Amino acid sequence: MNGKYISIRLFDSIIQNLLGNLQVLPCFYLGRCQNQRVIEANGNIYPCDFYCLDEYYLGNINEVGFKDINEAPLLKDFIQESLELPNECKQCPYLRLCRNGCKRYRINNKYYYCEAITRFYDNNLPKFKKVVEKISKIYSENKENASMIMDK
């Protein structure tokens, strides 16, 4: 818009995924929890900002170190639980782009917004692929230009 970049997190994530930059994607977009932890004002540690609940309490920063937290069976189980995929997800053409979404939004291990996100990709994925082609072309041209400059 007028040459100014506008960031929409979902759109940025889709583009990064299509470019193969998975390391920059948020966990909700990867469909699996990560070791990101939340430390509340009182020092209580939880595995995720959506799960600051007694049953997911990992300890208190004033009493336990990050090494212990990182190795906590509760944290490992929390992450492992998010990896389970329903069979219908395994057959979905958008699996790479969704991976069953955030576990917070799963009902009986199925992403609540599955049908909506499928319609969204059905209607919009070609547009995102065009953006990715443009980005790839610009990157490729800039890489060639940088290489020519470095060779001089």
Side-chain angles (χ1 to χ4, degrees), residues 45 58 60-71:
I45 305 171
L58 296 170
N60 187 289
I61 194 66
N62 298 305
E63 301 164 0
V64 65
F66 283 117
K67 184 176 188 277
D68 293 329
I69 293 294
N70 290 340
E71 295 172 2

Side-chain angles (χ1 to χ4, degrees), residues 22 26 46 52:
L22 302 180
Y46 300 91
C52 293

Side-chain angles (χ1 to χ4, degrees), residues 3-31:
K4 294 183 180 180
Y5 175 73
I6 296 174
S7 177
I8 299 172
R9 187 175 186 191
L10 175 64
F11 294 176
D12 291 344
S13 295
I14 292 168
I15 290 167
Q16 291 299 325
N17 192 332
L18 292 171
L19 286 167
N21 297 330
L22 302 180
Q23 69 277 5
V24 299
L25 296 178
C27 56
F28 76 85
Y29 194 77
L30 291 170

Side-chain angles (χ1 to χ4, degrees), residues 83-95:
L83 300 176
E84 297 174 19
L85 280 176
N87 286 332
E88 70 182 280
C89 285
K90 295 174 186 175
Q91 309 304 317
C92 177
Y94 305 120
L95 174 61

Side-chain angles (χ1 to χ4, degrees), residues 86-150:
N87 286 332
E88 70 182 280
C89 285
K90 295 174 186 175
Q91 309 304 317
C92 177
Y94 305 120
L95 174 61
R96 176 178 164 207
L97 298 169
C98 171
R99 291 212 28 91
N100 201 24
C102 175
K103 83 177 196 173
R104 176 183 185 208
Y105 299 110
R106 294 179 187 170
I107 298 173
N108 296 324
N109 199 32
K110 182 183 176 192
Y111 187 45
Y112 179 79
Y113 298 106
C114 180
E115 288 77 17
I117 203 80
T118 298
R119 283 193 311 275
F120 175 80
Y121 285 129
D122 284 346
N123 293 315
N124 296 293
L125 190 56
K127 297 171 193 168
F128 284 103
K129 287 183 177 181
K130 285 182 183 179
V131 170
V132 167
E133 286 174 22
K134 288 181 182 181
I135 291 171
S136 295
K137 183 178 179 188
I138 291 168
Y139 176 77
S140 177
E141 288 171 359
N142 286 337
K143 193 174 179 182
E144 285 176 25
N145 290 340
S147 149
M148 285 189 284
I149 291 168
M150 295 300 280

